[in-house]
Amino acid sequence: MGAYIVSGAVVKVDRHFERGYRDLAYDVVKECPDCLDVDYVVISSALPELTAHQVDLSTHIAQWLGRRVPVVRVESGETSGLAAVDLAASLVSSGRNRRVLVLGLEKVTDYPTYVTNYFYSLILDYEFEVLRSVSPPAYAALVMKELMRGGVKRECFSSWAVKMHENATSIPHAMLRFKISYDSFKDSQVLAEPLTLHDSFALGDGAAALVVSSSPNTNASSVEIVFSATEVGLPAYLRENISDLTASVKLLKLSLERYGLDLKKVITELHDSYTPYPIAILRSLGYLDGGCDLNEFEYLNTSGGLKARGHPIGATGVYQAYEVFKLLTDRLGSKTASTDYGLVHSMSGPDNVSRVLILKR
Amino acid sequence: MGAYIVSGAVVKVDRHFERGYRDLAYDVVKECPDCLDVDYVVISSALPELTAHQVDLSTHIAQWLGRRVPVVRVESGETSGLAAVDLAASLVSSGRNRRVLVLGLEKVTDYPTYVTNYFYSLILDYEFEVLRSVSPPAYAALVMKELMRGGVKRECFSSWAVKMHENATSIPHAMLRFKISYDSFKDSQVLAEPLTLHDSFALGDGAAALVVSSSPNTNASSVEIVFSATEVGLPAYLRENISDLTASVKLLKLSLERYGLDLKKVITELHDSYTPYPIAILRSLGYLDGGCDLNEFEYLNTSGGLKARGHPIGATGVYQAYEVFKLLTDRLGSKTASTDYGLVHSMSGPDNVSRVLILKR
Amino acid sequence: MKLSPSQFWRIRESQYRLIITECGSCGRKSVFKRSVCPFCGSSNVKHVESEGFGKVLDVTKVMYRWNSSDERPPLLVGVVELDEGVRVVGEIVGVGDNEEVKEGTRVEAVLRRYASDDPYGVIYYGIKFKPIKTA
Amino acid sequence: MKLSPSQFWRIRESQYRLIITECGSCGRKSVFKRSVCPFCGSSNVKHVESEGFGKVLDVTKVMYRWNSSDERPPLLVGVVELDEGVRVVGEIVGVGDNEEVKEGTRVEAVLRRYASDDPYGVIYYGIKFKPIKTA
Ligand SMILES: [Zn+2]
Ligand SMILES: [Zn+2]
């Protein structure tokens, strides 16, 4: 049996001071009436124990929404959202469920930034990385430096940031809907040299909902999940080259080859927590070797990516899948697309784990 | 396609001072060589962020075990283990995976008891229960009082504890392998009147592994997952009677009826975090109304239950399923059984969410 | 664990006052300010405030330490049925040495300290219940 | 977040010393005391201790605050390749104002403070790296 995305909704990624986990869940399903006509709910969330003192979040969300339907929470750091979509596809493909709601939820703006930064850093190995003062931006900076030694110019990373902000201007649910200049990194706060805030994702609260069904909609407004795969990478410090994001590259290569796709033509959402990561991936896939012209790619991170749409950690994968779904079936903000396939890529930390999803209209 | 449990292993539930999450994972798969011949791993764990500062535990466990296989973590409080088995069944039934490893892991003995008690209490609703000083034993005590007002004698709860300890003496992986007396509650520490430590589960570290496959073993050593269901309950304070564990009772009733089973004859593992819970459930199902003779039940919590085998929170459901699997196919410690069906019941808090699994040999 | 002032601030109405959610669909009432009826899932709800009086349905004396707050055992936790017919769970305080709280004891809502991080931290207040002296 | 002394104690050998895991199956080496080879998954491993010398493969100066420890930015974090051919990640300390740490800088392992809970809490120590003066 197949698996189809048939419906969905998102709330704006933002600092929703007045909204907690349950409020965000309520807000997003309110926008999506048939999101509650399901027989299973998979909630993806990475940080509720740390940011909201809540274990068993999924049960408490179901109780808050007044639902008795089976519910569970899935977590895998920054890839939690795509992990949930993957499980939902199996839940309906198994014939055991008809319609599954995937609900990505994250609340991250309740604490001073350094506290949230610390919670986020725990996606790395606590005992062997975090205790040794290694944080996600430190790895991103090391990847950036290695790429720069390999000939990538500083401006290339900036052009990613500029492009993402530009894309986000037409996306209503994006967190940062303004343009930035190529040299804004010069005045930007340094996180870990040479990586600046300009190279980093926007951290915001978020909620995204998708309905995965065992059958397509009768009209054209659904997409099929034709491929969903996961690969665990080596710890970054064990790699021959720290900028080789081998798990992501392997999955993306496999995806493009198997479906005869060209990244320049296909709708793609890449995980761009820090600008060096998508640049490293594109180069490993054989793109950008002559320079850094992102305009070669027709539908690359139309949403603005983690950089500008924003990154509500455990919900991000659901946003990405929603965005590709909308582009394939209708429109995303003011953007439309004329292609049959869409690709979603998610990873946690510096490629500790990667997941890829292919959607077909 | 079907789903079968074909293999498994557990470590003793205990205070494993020298073993952390990764060590426990290593220990259990070492006992189960074909546990690593899988194409997907579902890790169930409820508390790693709180007890071990680790987000994305599943990826770090896969890296530690040197595996690149798809991996995810599932959490739903005390029912995390059965939630993982449920998802594993769909993963293989979907035809997308051949063999899935379910790995229940919990490390809970690194902190003073009051700290771990606090982490555990977060299975309740933090904002509306925990902040109001409501803890799991308080609810268990209120259930116990209501049952006692309804005519259940104090000794009935004690007889559960006594029986569980007796059962555990023949289970090598049980935490508390010693007998206790009927009136040990009189000298036991009061948690919340009238509930004592004698009425409470044993908290220990644990790791349990099960392989769920799309096809049975060629010999008789596998069981089919014929039923797996989840039900969300009302918050306890909203119920007409606090001792009505309606989600659990509904699922168990449905299970018994659909498969024509009698709880007195069938292998059963009930979630007995606190003695009032199994007593309440058995009474709602129509048992024990003439008294409290637990010897009527041939295979009830052969393991010793959460009370005596122990309760490694997010791993417990995997232990329970392993135990029923072993009893159906071989032996559990020195215990054997001659029946074709086994029932596993798990719940979080006072029936906030309940899950039931039926296994058939 | 550090408390989060913004998390507490969001639920302030349900903590400082006894808000009741009334469902326009199934007619049932539930405690706390909710967007959805927990019984039937309807969003057709309105909110009213309780008068703050009720009776104890059941109570337990918690004798063990289960967190790091300065509040140490014993403490009384119970389910209270408000006069509006709605149940709520919470702590029962202000009970004298010779007093007994049991099923049926009349109580009123009072504002008391819930928790604080440390000697210099924010203190959170919320509703607890106090027996009404009938003497 | 409170640290857990028992959690730290369990990994003490990998934190106080530079243990290398050598794989008898694939022949590759990895840092830390491991039960399983991270490259090939084999349990056929043995452990040796590094001499503690190596060179910086790459380093970054972390300029932002990302936790509540007393250690404030800036701090240097890098990947070090030990003379045994194994890579490890960690902090680089003891760098003078006029010194520069870069690719190729020779370093040695030293024991330094990792973290502590509070002024009266346990202090955790572990391996960091210090440039070797060549003057
Ligand atoms: Zn209603
Ligand atoms: Zn090897």
Side-chain angles (χ1 to χ4, degrees):
Chain A
M1 218 176 289
Y4 304 82
I5 296 176
V6 297
S7 186
V10 294
V11 304
K12 185 173 189 290
V13 180
D14 213 339
R15 296 177 166 269
H16 291 282
F17 295 114
E18 309 223 9
R19 314 302 281 165
Y21 275 102
R22 32 185 149 217
D23 307 309
L24 292 166
Y26 172 74
D27 291 346
V28 75
V29 300
K30 190 165 47 99
E31 297 304 317
C32 176
D34 72 333
C35 276
L36 288 175
D37 170 25
V38 293
D39 40 30
Y40 211 107
V41 178
V42 181
I43 292 186
S44 73
S45 187
L47 302 171
E49 295 88 348
L50 300 171
T51 65
H53 312 268
Q54 191 64 68
V55 177
D56 203 8
L57 176 74
S58 48
T59 296
H60 296 291
I61 294 292
Q63 288 183 338
W64 184 252
L65 298 178
R67 302 288 148 175
R68 307 273 169 276
V69 69
V71 65
V72 76
R73 172 234 184 172
V74 161
E75 182 266 324
S76 180
E78 293 176 278
T79 69
S80 301
L82 270 205
V85 175
D86 181 59
L87 288 172
S90 282
L91 283 166
V92 300
S93 298
S94 72
R96 292 167 176 249
N97 302 281
R98 194 178 51 90
R99 285 163 58 91
V100 176
L101 171 64
V102 178
L103 192 52
L105 298 174
E106 207 77 270
K107 178 68 199 175
V108 287
T109 59
D110 271 354
Y111 292 85
T113 311
Y114 73 87
V115 174
T116 309
N117 283 342
Y118 177 70
F119 293 158
Y120 169 64
S121 76
L122 299 176
I123 60 165
L124 299 183
D125 184 323
Y126 173 74
E127 296 179 352
F128 294 143
E129 294 178 321
V130 179
L131 272 178
R132 289 171 179 255
S133 298
V134 183
S135 58
Y139 273 134
L142 293 172
V143 169
M144 196 171 186
K145 286 185 77 173
E146 191 170 276
L147 290 171
M148 287 170 75
R149 277 203 304 279
V152 180
K153 296 202 162 50
R154 179 64 179 92
E155 287 68 29
C156 185
F157 306 104
S158 296
S159 70
W160 183 273
V162 169
K163 179 79 177 165
M164 291 304 108
H165 276 260
E166 197 179 296
N167 286 353
T169 55
S170 53
I171 307 299
H173 67 263
M175 185 169 182
L176 306 180
R177 299 184 63 195
F178 54 84
K179 295 190 183 185
I180 60 171
S181 71
Y182 275 88
D183 55 2
S184 70
F185 72 91
K186 289 176 183 162
D187 300 318
S188 182
Q189 188 202 336
V190 175
L191 299 178
E193 287 178 346
L195 190 92
T196 72
L197 206 53
H198 159 108
D199 298 294
S200 168
F201 66 85
L203 183 70
D205 307 323
L210 276 182
V211 176
V212 177
S213 169
S214 55
S215 54
N217 284 343
T218 45
N219 53 32
S221 66
S222 59
V223 297
E224 185 176 359
I225 298 174
V226 293
F227 181 78
S228 178
T230 298
E231 179 90 5
V232 173
L234 270 180
Y237 56 86
L238 290 179
R239 295 174 199 158
E240 195 65 35
N241 299 298
I242 205 164
S243 66
D244 281 348
L245 309 179
T246 50
S248 290
V249 171
K250 179 182 165 185
L251 288 180
L252 286 165
K253 203 165 199 162
L254 176 68
S255 303
L256 296 171
E257 282 172 8
R258 184 177 296 185
Y259 293 88
L261 305 176
D262 179 354
L263 220 48
K264 293 189 180 176
K265 303 285 179 200
V266 69
I267 297 168
T268 310
E269 289 289 329
L270 287 185
H271 180 93
D272 58 335
S273 49
Y274 300 99
T275 58
Y277 293 149
I279 301 298
I281 289 169
L282 290 173
R283 286 175 62 85
S284 294
L285 289 171
Y287 297 98
L288 301 185
D289 52 350
C292 204
D293 184 6
L294 295 170
N295 292 319
E296 292 176 0
F297 301 90
E298 209 165 344
Y299 307 115
L300 182 55
N301 285 23
T302 314
S303 68
L306 283 62
K307 175 73 196 106
R309 173 240 296 118
H311 185 20
I313 314 296
T316 299
V318 188
Y319 274 88
Q320 292 175 302
Y322 167 84
E323 288 152 355
V324 172
F325 159 66
K326 290 302 280 185
L327 265 175
L328 281 170
T329 57
D330 179 18
R331 58 180 60 242
L332 180 64
S334 58
K335 298 287 182 64
T336 57
S338 55
T339 167
D340 290 335
Y341 284 91
L343 210 89
V344 184
H345 162 253
S346 183
M347 76 182 197
S348 194
D351 201 43
N352 279 329
V353 63
S354 286
R355 302 180 197 269
V356 165
L357 194 71
I358 302 182
L359 304 178
K360 179 175 183 289
R361 88 166 142 205
Chain B
M1 217 175 289
Y4 303 84
I5 296 176
V6 297
S7 185
V10 294
V11 303
K12 185 173 189 289
V13 180
D14 213 338
R15 296 177 166 269
H16 292 282
F17 293 114
E18 308 224 9
R19 314 301 282 164
Y21 275 101
R22 31 185 150 217
D23 308 309
L24 292 165
Y26 172 75
D27 292 346
V28 76
V29 299
K30 190 164 49 97
E31 298 303 315
C32 175
D34 72 332
C35 276
L36 288 174
D37 170 26
V38 294
D39 41 28
Y40 211 108
V41 179
V42 181
I43 292 186
S44 73
S45 188
L47 302 171
E49 295 88 349
L50 300 172
T51 65
H53 311 268
Q54 191 64 69
V55 176
D56 202 9
L57 176 74
S58 49
T59 296
H60 296 291
I61 294 290
Q63 288 184 337
W64 184 251
L65 298 177
R67 303 287 147 175
R68 305 275 168 274
V69 68
V71 65
V72 76
R73 173 233 184 171
V74 161
E75 183 266 325
S76 179
E78 293 177 278
T79 70
S80 301
L82 270 206
V85 175
D86 181 58
L87 288 171
S90 281
L91 284 166
V92 299
S93 298
S94 71
R96 291 167 176 248
N97 303 281
R98 194 178 51 88
R99 284 163 58 91
V100 176
L101 172 64
V102 178
L103 192 52
L105 298 174
E106 207 76 271
K107 177 70 199 174
V108 287
T109 60
D110 272 354
Y111 292 85
T113 311
Y114 73 86
V115 174
T116 309
N117 283 341
Y118 177 71
F119 293 158
Y120 169 64
S121 75
L122 300 176
I123 60 165
L124 298 183
D125 184 323
Y126 173 74
E127 296 179 351
F128 293 143
E129 294 179 321
V130 179
L131 272 178
R132 288 172 180 254
S133 299
V134 183
S135 57
Y139 273 133
L142 293 172
V143 169
M144 195 170 185
K145 287 185 77 172
E146 190 170 276
L147 290 171
M148 287 169 75
R149 276 203 306 279
V152 180
K153 295 202 163 52
R154 180 64 180 90
E155 288 68 28
C156 185
F157 306 104
S158 296
S159 70
W160 182 273
V162 169
K163 178 81 177 165
M164 291 303 108
H165 276 260
E166 198 179 295
N167 286 353
T169 56
S170 53
I171 306 299
H173 67 263
M175 185 168 181
L176 306 180
R177 299 184 62 195
F178 54 84
K179 296 190 181 184
I180 60 170
S181 71
Y182 274 89
D183 55 3
S184 70
F185 72 89
K186 290 177 184 162
D187 299 318
S188 183
Q189 189 202 337
V190 174
L191 298 178
E193 286 178 347
L195 190 91
T196 72
L197 207 52
H198 159 107
D199 297 294
S200 167
F201 65 86
L203 183 70
D205 307 324
L210 276 182
V211 176
V212 178
S213 169
S214 56
S215 54
N217 284 343
T218 45
N219 53 33
S221 64
S222 59
V223 297
E224 186 174 1
I225 297 173
V226 293
F227 180 79
S228 178
T230 299
E231 178 90 6
V232 173
L234 269 181
Y237 56 86
L238 290 179
R239 296 175 198 158
E240 195 65 35
N241 298 298
I242 204 165
S243 67
D244 281 347
L245 309 179
T246 50
S248 290
V249 170
K250 178 181 164 185
L251 288 181
L252 286 165
K253 203 165 200 163
L254 177 68
S255 303
L256 296 170
E257 282 171 8
R258 184 178 296 185
Y259 293 88
L261 305 176
D262 179 354
L263 220 47
K264 293 189 181 175
K265 304 285 180 198
V266 70
I267 298 169
T268 310
E269 289 289 329
L270 287 185
H271 180 93
D272 59 334
S273 50
Y274 300 100
T275 58
Y277 294 148
I279 301 299
I281 289 169
L282 289 173
R283 287 176 60 86
S284 293
L285 289 171
Y287 297 98
L288 300 185
D289 52 352
C292 204
D293 184 6
L294 295 170
N295 292 318
E296 293 177 359
F297 301 89
E298 209 166 346
Y299 306 115
L300 182 55
N301 284 24
T302 314
S303 68
L306 283 63
K307 175 73 194 106
R309 172 242 293 119
H311 186 20
I313 314 298
T316 298
V318 189
Y319 274 88
Q320 292 174 303
Y322 167 84
E323 288 152 356
V324 172
F325 159 66
K326 291 301 281 184
L327 265 177
L328 281 170
T329 57
D330 179 19
R331 57 180 61 241
L332 181 63
S334 58
K335 297 287 183 62
T336 57
S338 55
T339 167
D340 290 335
Y341 283 91
L343 209 88
V344 185
H345 161 253
S346 182
M347 76 181 198
S348 194
D351 202 43
N352 280 329
V353 63
S354 286
R355 301 182 198 269
V356 165
L357 193 72
I358 302 181
L359 304 178
K360 179 175 182 289
R361 87 166 143 205
Chain C
M1 289 304 269
K2 290 287 178 191
L3 300 167
S4 158
S6 38
Q7 184 178 14
F8 197 85
W9 178 82
R10 277 195 299 272
I11 52 171
R12 65 200 178 282
E13 286 180 282
S14 291
Q15 304 290 33
Y16 293 160
R17 297 154 57 202
L18 275 170
I19 307 289
I20 294 170
T21 296
E22 293 184 356
C23 180
S25 297
C26 75
R28 300 188 66 174
K29 297 188 236 178
S30 52
V31 71
F32 303 131
K33 189 175 179 182
R34 300 172 184 272
S35 327
V36 183
C37 171
F39 297 106
C40 76
S42 167
S43 298
N44 176 17
V45 294
K46 64 174 188 171
H47 303 119
V48 298
E49 186 165 356
S50 163
E51 296 290 329
F53 297 97
K55 66 167 198 266
V56 171
L57 278 186
D58 212 340
V59 64
T60 176
K61 190 190 276 187
V62 176
M63 301 292 283
Y64 83 118
R65 189 177 175 204
W66 64 279
N67 63 32
S68 60
S69 81
D70 359 282
E71 219 173 335
R72 296 298 165 84
L75 54 89
L76 293 172
V77 168
V79 176
V80 168
E81 183 161 88
L82 301 174
D83 291 349
E84 292 84 0
V86 170
R87 291 168 189 194
V88 59
V89 70
E91 202 179 326
I92 301 180
V93 295
V95 181
D97 283 346
N98 299 319
E99 284 178 288
E100 194 194 0
V101 176
K102 58 184 180 187
E103 298 80 65
T105 300
R106 291 284 298 165
V107 293
E108 62 180 326
V110 291
L111 202 64
R112 291 289 183 275
R113 174 197 178 106
Y114 272 5
S116 75
D117 269 340
D118 62 64
Y120 303 96
V122 177
I123 298 178
Y124 294 161
Y125 291 89
I127 295 287
K128 298 186 179 182
F129 295 94
K130 191 169 75 88
I132 300 171
K133 311 280 185 219
T134 48
Chain D
M1 289 303 270
K2 289 287 176 191
L3 300 167
S4 159
S6 40
Q7 183 178 16
F8 197 84
W9 178 83
R10 277 195 299 273
I11 51 171
R12 65 199 178 282
E13 287 180 280
S14 291
Q15 304 290 32
Y16 293 162
R17 296 153 59 200
L18 275 169
I19 307 288
I20 294 171
T21 296
E22 294 183 357
C23 179
S25 297
C26 74
R28 300 187 68 173
K29 296 188 238 178
S30 54
V31 72
F32 303 132
K33 188 175 180 183
R34 298 171 185 271
S35 326
V36 183
C37 170
F39 297 105
C40 76
S42 167
S43 299
N44 176 17
V45 294
K46 62 174 189 170
H47 303 117
V48 298
E49 186 166 355
S50 163
E51 296 290 329
F53 297 97
K55 64 167 200 266
V56 171
L57 278 186
D58 213 339
V59 63
T60 176
K61 190 190 274 186
V62 176
M63 302 291 284
Y64 83 118
R65 188 175 176 206
W66 63 280
N67 63 32
S68 60
S69 80
D70 359 280
E71 221 173 333
R72 297 295 167 84
L75 55 88
L76 293 172
V77 169
V79 177
V80 168
E81 183 162 87
L82 301 174
D83 290 350
E84 291 85 359
V86 169
R87 290 168 188 194
V88 59
V89 70
E91 202 179 327
I92 301 181
V93 295
V95 181
D97 283 348
N98 298 318
E99 285 178 287
E100 194 194 359
V101 177
K102 57 183 179 186
E103 299 80 66
T105 300
R106 290 285 298 166
V107 292
E108 62 180 325
V110 291
L111 202 65
R112 290 288 184 275
R113 175 196 178 106
Y114 272 5
S116 74
D117 268 340
D118 61 64
Y120 301 96
V122 178
I123 298 179
Y124 294 161
Y125 292 89
I127 296 286
K128 298 187 179 183
F129 295 93
K130 190 169 76 85
I132 298 171
K133 310 279 187 220
T134 50

